[in-house]
């Protein structure tokens, strides 16, 4: 639908930005924090980058919150590091870890910034991995519940917006890359057992939040990549639906309806997969009614038919930010992803597609009728300060302007969107590319190999975003 008037954002719209503990905090060995699996990954596996210092937010949090305040933020989405709260299996929480988050939360709240907190964003403590075989053993369910309950008890008086698990769908679909998969030879079947255990952890957190946090709201954070059909060919349409099911819809249907869909149950049957569902699991799911969805959305994908006799191709991510390196997957009989002639691509071959934002929000609303908060969206780029010590990221301003405008149009379409928190506030480590792929509104003066002085430098996009949000989405700039 076309509107004569420019979009109007609701009063109290949550304007902020987003981060995750392991990518921003650093201080991995400080104040009793234990080692997490993703530390080991980031410190040993190229092109991941060593997260020991990251953006050193652990030591700069006051300065960072002051910059948020100056920009006019009304929200900040971040994650708590499980290995800071429970560094070992003793069940005794680490007071120094709790103190850090108390300080951060107080700093935010005292500056009028609503904390939106993710419980789990990829930092699995090594002791959990060793004790319970990572996400493979049901022992993790109690450990996760204890961790979630501790967070609700310690922070629930001030934190009202909670998120359970970041991009569970991506942790399964890209299990090899994100470290969820421990035994590659059996992942085809194991992934559904692991997913079921993650679902139980999510559900336990949802139930505990409602029990313990007065006026608390909790939801999952799917990684959303809306999928278009490559052509009007009916088989491409079915491929589109298949791609959507296997990368996101299976998860979203589960969160919203609290039971497995016929689609996935039939798939398991067809492939002889037993996801190891125990008696009583469904009763737990029944109680886990979510309040909203966090939406991570950066890009779109385009699907086409993949015939049964086509050569399979695994997804190969673009590792170094040189265009053309990404290889889209081919799953014979289900779907393949293809390049889309109608959109531009970033250096990492991610589609630059603002309309995808409207598409995904409309689609999710039509399916589930639940409010949404955008918890990630952003533009990853190679960047450094120029000769004047500035970062003129005009491309990011264009990206954000177009994306936010589409959010506004979606609100005009009648969709309930509560906030916009792009990735990321400061530069931080990209999941796979360290500081080589920057997303921040604020530059962190370091590279992967040189820590420089870790100074915070506001990029052009910081000023632009600040003007927009201080006008509650009216001042779009030039
Ligand atoms: C999301 C993750 C984030 C973040 C972002 C950008 O999937 O939740 O942790 O890293 O993607 O991805 P990348 O850093 O690989 O560019």
């Amino acid at each position: 639908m076309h509107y004569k008037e420019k979009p109007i954002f609701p009063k109290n719209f949550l304007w902020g930005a987003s981060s995750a503990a392991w990518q921003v905090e650093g201080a991995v060995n400080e104040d009793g924090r234990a080692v997490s699996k993703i530390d080991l990954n980031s410190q040993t596996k190229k092109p991941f980058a060593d997260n020991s210092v990251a953006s050193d937010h652990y030591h700069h949090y006051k300065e960072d919150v002051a910059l948020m305040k100056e920009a006019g933020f009304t929200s900040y989405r971040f994650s708590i590091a499980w290995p800071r709260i429970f560094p070992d299996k003793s069940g005794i929480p680490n007071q120094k870890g709790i103190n850090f988050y108390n300080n951060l939360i107080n700093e935010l709240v005292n500056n009028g910034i609503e904390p939106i907190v993710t419980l789990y964003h990829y930092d699995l403590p090594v002791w959990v991995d060793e004790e319970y075989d990572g996400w493979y053993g049901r022992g993790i369910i109690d450990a996760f519940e204890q961790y979630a309950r501790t967070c609700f008890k310690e922070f629930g008086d001030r934190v009202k917006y909670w998120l359970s698990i970041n991009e569970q769908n991506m942790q399964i679909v890209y299990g090899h890359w994100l470290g969820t998969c421990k035994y590659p030879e059996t992942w085809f079947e194991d992934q559904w057992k692991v997913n079921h255990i993650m679902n139980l952890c999510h559900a336990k957190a949802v139930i505990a939040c409602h029990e313990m946090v007065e006026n608390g709201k909790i939801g999952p954070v799917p990684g959303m990549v809306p999928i278009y059909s490559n052509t009007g060919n009916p088989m491409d349409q079915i491929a589109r639906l298949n791609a959507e099911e296997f990368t996101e819809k299976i998860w979203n249907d589960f969160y919203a309806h609290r039971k497995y869909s016929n689609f996935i149950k039939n798939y398991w049957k067809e492939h002889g997969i037993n996801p190891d569902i125990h008696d009583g699991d469904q009763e737990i799911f029944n109680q886990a009614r979510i309040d909203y969805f966090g939406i991570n959305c950066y890009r779109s994908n385009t699907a086409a038919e993949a015939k049964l006799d086509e050569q399979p191709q695994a997804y190969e991510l673009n590792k170094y930010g040189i265009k053309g390196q990404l290889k889209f997957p081919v799953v014979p009989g289900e779907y393949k992803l293809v390049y889309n002639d109608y959109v531009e691509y970033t250096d990492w071959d991610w589609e630059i597609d603002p309309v995808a934002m409207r598409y995904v929000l409309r689609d999710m609303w039509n399916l589930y009728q639940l409010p949404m908060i955008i918890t990630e969206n952003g533009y990853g780029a190679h960047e450094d300060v120029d000769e004047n010590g500035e970062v003129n990221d005009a491309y990011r301003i264009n990206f954000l302007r177009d994306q936010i405008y589409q959010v506004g149009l979606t609100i005009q379409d009648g969709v309930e969107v509560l906030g916009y928190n792009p990735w990321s506030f400061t530069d931080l480590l990209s999941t796979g590319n360290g500081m080589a792929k920057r997303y921040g509104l604020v530059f962190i003066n370091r590279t992967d190999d040189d820590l420089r002085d870790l100074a915070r430098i506001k990029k052009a996009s910081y000023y632009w975003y600040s003007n927009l949000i201080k006008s509650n989405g009216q001042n779009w700039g030039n």
Side-chain angles (χ1 to χ4, degrees):
M1 178 133 126
H2 178 76
Y3 300 99
K4 291 189 205 77
E5 302 295 329
K6 282 197 172 167
I8 299 200
F9 288 82
K11 216 171 131 241
N12 304 326
F13 192 73
L14 295 170
W15 294 106
S18 188
S19 74
W22 76 273
Q23 290 167 282
V24 76
E25 285 178 3
V28 291
N29 299 317
E30 264 177 70
D31 293 338
R33 178 192 184 276
V35 180
S36 81
K37 285 249 299 176
I38 198 98
D39 301 350
L40 303 179
N41 220 1
S42 86
Q43 288 158 16
T44 53
K45 200 169 124 190
K46 286 279 169 204
F48 283 81
D50 187 335
N51 71 331
S52 323
V53 177
S55 311
D56 204 26
H57 175 66
Y58 194 79
H59 299 114
H60 288 75
Y61 76 90
K62 279 196 179 185
E63 185 184 347
D64 292 345
V65 175
L67 285 168
M68 292 177 205
K69 164 85 174 164
E70 187 187 325
F73 276 26
T74 53
S75 61
Y76 174 51
R77 182 245 178 171
F78 63 96
S79 77
I80 292 178
W82 188 355
R84 274 197 206 285
I85 305 296
F86 283 104
D88 55 43
K89 62 179 178 186
S90 67
I92 303 165
N94 171 29
Q95 193 53 48
K96 287 189 176 162
I98 291 173
N99 293 349
F100 170 69
Y101 293 108
N102 265 330
N103 292 340
L104 172 62
I105 291 164
N106 289 341
E107 199 69 17
L108 290 166
V109 172
N110 293 339
N111 283 292
I113 300 169
E114 183 85 44
I116 302 171
V117 177
T118 320
L119 288 168
Y120 183 74
H121 199 129
Y122 307 166
D123 36 15
L124 188 74
V126 167
W127 71 263
V128 174
D129 185 51
E130 287 170 352
E131 198 70 10
Y132 307 117
D133 201 15
W135 292 97
Y136 286 65
R138 288 179 70 104
I140 197 175
I141 302 165
D142 285 348
F144 187 81
E145 184 180 4
Q146 182 185 36
Y147 161 61
R149 283 184 177 270
T150 304
C151 291
F152 299 144
K153 173 172 162 276
E154 299 291 342
F155 315 123
D157 56 334
R158 287 150 294 153
V159 177
K160 300 300 169 189
Y161 287 98
W162 292 90
L163 297 158
S164 56
I165 295 179
N166 185 71
E167 296 194 2
Q168 183 179 333
N169 57 329
M170 297 301 179
Q171 291 185 68
I172 301 297
V173 178
Y174 303 115
H176 300 80
W177 173 250
L178 291 171
T180 333
C181 163
K182 292 182 74 173
Y183 313 107
E185 20 352 298
T186 49
W187 183 241
F188 180 74
E189 174 156 10
D190 289 347
Q191 61 183 303
W192 299 108
K193 297 182 184 161
V194 165
N195 185 58
H196 182 65
I197 288 173
M198 280 192 168
N199 280 338
L200 284 160
C201 291
H202 155 83
K204 291 269 189 171
V206 171
I207 295 165
C209 178
H210 289 147
E211 206 179 285
M212 298 176 68
V213 181
E214 208 184 328
N215 300 321
K217 296 191 188 310
I218 186 161
V221 197
M224 294 302 296
V225 182
I227 295 166
Y228 306 140
S229 169
N230 192 37
T231 69
N233 177 351
M235 290 312 290
D236 282 352
Q237 305 289 338
I238 296 297
R240 178 191 91 75
L241 290 176
N242 287 343
E244 204 171 67
E245 286 282 0
F246 286 116
T247 57
E248 49 213 24
K249 193 160 181 294
I250 285 169
W251 289 267
N252 295 335
D253 280 350
F254 174 81
Y255 297 133
H257 304 311
R258 289 163 283 139
K259 58 181 188 197
Y260 291 111
S261 63
N262 289 345
F263 183 88
I264 187 60
K265 285 198 285 198
N266 290 346
Y267 175 83
W268 291 335
K269 207 158 126 201
E270 177 74 20
H271 293 275
I273 291 169
N274 173 10
D276 196 24
I277 300 170
H278 290 200
D279 287 347
D281 289 352
Q282 186 57 49
E283 280 66 48
I284 297 168
F285 295 148
N286 289 346
Q287 300 166 58
R289 187 183 292 277
I290 59 170
D291 302 294
Y292 69 106
F293 274 103
I295 299 288
N296 292 355
C297 178
Y298 293 81
R299 57 188 291 200
S300 55
N301 276 163
T302 300
E305 179 188 14
K307 297 219 164 68
L308 263 182
D309 58 1
E310 280 191 47
Q311 192 59 29
Q313 166 71 53
Y315 206 143
E316 279 180 30
L317 297 175
N318 177 331
K319 292 186 180 164
Y320 299 101
I322 300 162
K323 265 192 183 164
Q325 286 186 338
L326 179 144
K327 280 198 187 145
F328 279 122
V330 179
V331 191
E334 289 172 10
Y335 68 91
K336 64 184 170 195
L337 299 182
V338 295
Y339 278 91
N340 181 347
D341 293 340
Y342 293 88
V343 301
E344 300 286 320
Y345 286 81
T346 69
D347 286 345
W348 275 264
D349 300 316
W350 286 24
E351 295 78 356
I352 302 172
D353 179 10
V355 175
M357 179 57 85
R358 188 179 189 185
Y359 184 99
V360 80
L361 294 169
R362 288 255 305 254
D363 196 36
M364 289 291 283
W365 179 253
N366 290 344
L367 286 167
Y368 308 117
Q369 299 277 305
L370 281 167
M372 287 168 276
I373 299 181
I374 293 139
T375 37
E376 289 183 34
N377 169 242
Y379 189 98
H382 298 283
E383 274 169 349
D384 208 340
V385 283
D386 63 18
E387 57 285 1
N388 303 318
E390 293 171 354
V391 183
N392 288 307
D393 53 346
Y395 41 86
R396 184 169 292 106
I397 296 176
N398 291 337
F399 180 94
L400 293 174
R401 181 195 289 119
D402 294 349
Q403 297 273 338
I404 299 168
Y405 200 82
Q406 294 292 324
V407 175
L409 290 177
T410 317
I411 293 169
Q412 285 179 310
D413 292 332
V415 177
E416 201 178 336
V417 187
L418 307 178
Y420 178 77
N421 294 270
W423 189 262
S424 51
F425 179 53
T426 61
D427 287 337
L428 40 66
L429 298 185
S430 144
T431 294
N433 295 106
M435 282 288 168
K437 188 183 188 187
R438 293 174 188 265
Y439 282 92
L441 300 165
V442 176
F443 185 83
I444 298 291
N445 193 28
R446 64 159 289 185
T447 65
D448 281 338
D449 307 317
D450 181 359
L451 287 180
R452 296 184 186 165
D453 61 2
L454 293 161
R456 276 66 181 139
I457 299 164
K458 297 170 209 164
K459 299 183 193 177
S461 57
Y462 172 96
Y463 296 104
W464 175 84
Y465 188 59
S466 173
N467 283 334
L468 180 79
I469 70 181
K470 281 180 179 163
S471 67
N472 198 30
Q474 291 306 296
N475 186 355
W476 293 93
N478 301 317

